[in-house]
Amino acid sequence: MLLTDLSIRNRTTVAVLGFIIVLLGGYSYVTLPREAFPDIPIPYIMITTIYEGVSPEDVETAVTMKIEKELSGIRDVKEVLSSSAEGMSLISVEFTPNVPTEVALQRVRDRVDLAKGELPQEIEEPVIKEINIAEFPVIQISVSGDVSPFQLKEIADDMEDALEMVPGVLKVDVEGALEREIRLEMDPDRVAQYNLTIPEILALIPSENVNISAGGVETRGTKFNVRVPAEFVTPEEVDHLLLAVRDGRPIYLADVATVRDTFKDRESISRLNGRENVTLLVRKRVGANVVRVSDMVKAVVEQARKQIPGGVQFDVIYDMSKYIRNTVADLENNILAALVLVAAVLMLFMGWRPSTIVAMIIPLSMLVTFCLIQALGFTLNMIVLFSLILVLGMLVDNAIVIVENIYRHMQLGYNRLDAAILGARE
């Protein structure tokens, strides 16, 4: 074979190439992103429709079945699952893997648009989104302590901003937090007494809660902008909002409504060991190194621990990098054990020189593979490492056959160079 002949006749070049492979392969192995499983894009589209105050049976007949009817004609659909609950319709559409996610999303969106004409007018706009397994949280951080819920939310928001600046982090979701809300509770009798309407009041409030630009002022050598701040800062400012004037008497918001500084209705509840907390869900970007992202996130958490008030604590309650580190370490140990055992068995039966040659093939082949994996944009995951272990046996078998054949030709009287060429050719 031409390749083996050239390699045997140019041993110095092959040795230099082997040294380059060691350097590039070692660098690729260190810098390769690590994941538990490879990113396999599965076109999985979810359709959520809110129809508040309606029974599951009515939701199914009025919303779910009509959307399903339009979805039935989409090509390359593997499965459609739906569920109807009180006030909510949930439909999931799974496409075959050969369909790009963007194409699947557009097909579903077009079909839902066709179904909108038959849906009740009272429903909210259907929410269509793709489900990406690679964007599941890789690390979860609990924020808890003996402070007010509002202060706990502020600490979680500061942590969210800090974590989203970490390279490789896609976004951070906050679960279980109480959000502040200024709530207006109207008194219908007093609203009617002052000849006002609730829509009129609700339209007035946003128009007053703005910052107004008053242009610019320019003097000799100086130019600056003028702004009139009019945003509400405290609930007391909302109390004194002027609504109207009746018979020369001003009517304020406090005359017809009660302003409460409270919290929004909770959409999620988070607890740790039976105690309420706030949970930060950190999601990584596709292809980012989970281990590196986890290390940088933990460094940010450690820095935040030095700045938070006493009584507040951060706990890492889930860390995918631990599982990945254990998986990669186990597979690396298997590869190392295979290398040692193969070398020992070959040395026992074939001598130290043939066994050394075969043993060198194993790490060199691995390093070449790491270079190719990085060049192709793949990650170092359990599937890749398991495949390397699988082909390790095939590699050793081939190496043993070639070395044994070369040895046979030497016994037939050929010199080392000719025996190597003939043995590799066969």
Side-chain angles (χ1 to χ4, degrees), residues 279-326:
T279 302
L280 299 171
L281 308 178
V282 182
R283 309 177 192 273
K284 74 172 186 68
R285 297 185 183 276
V286 176
N289 192 331
V290 177
V291 175
R292 189 173 301 166
V293 169
S294 176
D295 291 339
M296 289 188 289
V297 166
K298 290 178 183 177
V300 173
V301 172
E302 289 298 326
Q303 185 66 26
R305 281 196 176 105
K306 304 175 183 178
Q307 302 173 357
I308 60 175
V312 178
Q313 62 182 17
F314 293 122
D315 297 294
V316 179
I317 57 179
Y318 172 75
D319 185 5
M320 183 184 290
S321 68
K322 288 184 178 180
Y323 172 73
I324 295 175
R325 283 189 174 98
N326 293 335

Side-chain angles (χ1 to χ4, degrees), residues 86-338:
E86 183 176 352
M88 178 186 297
S89 169
L90 192 64
I91 303 175
S92 61
V93 185
E94 181 181 355
F95 287 79
T96 54
N98 62 310
V99 180
T101 304
E102 297 78 10
V103 175
L105 191 63
Q106 188 59 46
R107 289 180 183 177
V108 172
R109 187 176 287 115
D110 293 341
R111 293 289 179 165
V112 173
D113 289 340
L114 292 175
K116 285 181 181 178
E118 301 181 9
L119 300 179
Q121 297 182 353
E122 297 82 9
I123 68 168
E124 297 183 9
E125 184 74 14
V127 177
I128 306 171
K129 61 180 181 179
E130 60 177 293
I131 304 298
N132 192 341
I133 300 176
E135 294 181 1
F136 285 177
V138 297
I139 186 169
Q140 298 181 16
I141 303 167
S142 168
V143 184
S144 59
D146 298 325
V147 295
S148 65
F150 181 70
Q151 189 175 4
L152 206 62
K153 176 67 165 56
E154 286 185 337
I155 295 173
D157 289 340
D158 293 339
M159 278 295 300
E160 178 185 3
D161 296 336
L163 293 175
E164 286 184 343
M165 296 179 64
V166 174
V169 172
L170 177 64
K171 63 177 180 178
V172 179
D173 295 329
V174 179
E175 299 288 343
L178 287 173
E179 296 188 29
R180 188 184 182 191
E181 179 181 72
I182 305 299
R183 183 176 300 171
L184 302 180
E185 298 179 357
M186 302 291 181
D187 187 338
D189 295 334
R190 299 183 68 86
V191 170
Q193 179 181 352
Y194 289 113
N195 196 22
L196 294 172
T197 62
I198 293 180
E200 180 182 0
I201 298 173
L202 296 179
L204 177 64
I205 295 175
S207 64
E208 295 291 334
N209 186 31
V210 293
N211 284 333
I212 303 173
S213 176
V217 176
E218 185 174 356
T219 59
R220 181 175 300 177
T222 305
K223 182 179 180 180
F224 54 91
N225 296 324
V226 178
R227 182 177 62 89
V228 180
E231 286 185 336
F232 301 137
V233 179
T234 63
E236 291 74 17
E237 295 177 344
V238 184
D239 273 341
H240 296 87
L241 180 63
L242 180 63
L243 297 179
V245 178
R246 295 288 189 268
D247 300 328
R249 177 187 172 186
I251 302 173
Y252 297 97
L253 184 62
D255 296 331
V256 297
T258 302
V259 181
R260 298 188 184 277
D261 188 359
T262 181
F263 298 100
K264 292 182 179 179
D265 295 335
R266 303 188 70 164
E267 297 181 354
S268 63
I269 298 177
S270 177
R271 290 191 178 93
L272 178 63
N273 296 327
R275 183 180 181 185
E276 288 198 9
N277 69 329
V278 177
T279 302
L280 299 171
L281 308 178
V282 182
R283 309 177 192 273
K284 74 172 186 68
R285 297 185 183 276
V286 176
N289 192 331
V290 177
V291 175
R292 189 173 301 166
V293 169
S294 176
D295 291 339
M296 289 188 289
V297 166
K298 290 178 183 177
V300 173
V301 172
E302 289 298 326
Q303 185 66 26
R305 281 196 176 105
K306 304 175 183 178
Q307 302 173 357
I308 60 175
V312 178
Q313 62 182 17
F314 293 122
D315 297 294
V316 179
I317 57 179
Y318 172 75
D319 185 5
M320 183 184 290
S321 68
K322 288 184 178 180
Y323 172 73
I324 295 175
R325 283 189 174 98
N326 293 335
T327 302
V328 174
D330 289 342
L331 293 170
E332 288 173 344
N333 290 336
N334 291 336
I335 293 176
L336 181 60

Side-chain angles (χ1 to χ4, degrees), residues 51-70:
Y51 194 7
E52 292 186 355
V54 180
S55 65
E57 294 80 6
D58 293 337
V59 170
E60 182 178 16
T61 55
V63 179
T64 305
M65 294 180 64
K66 292 182 179 179
I67 296 179
E68 278 185 335
K69 181 181 178 182
E70 295 293 340

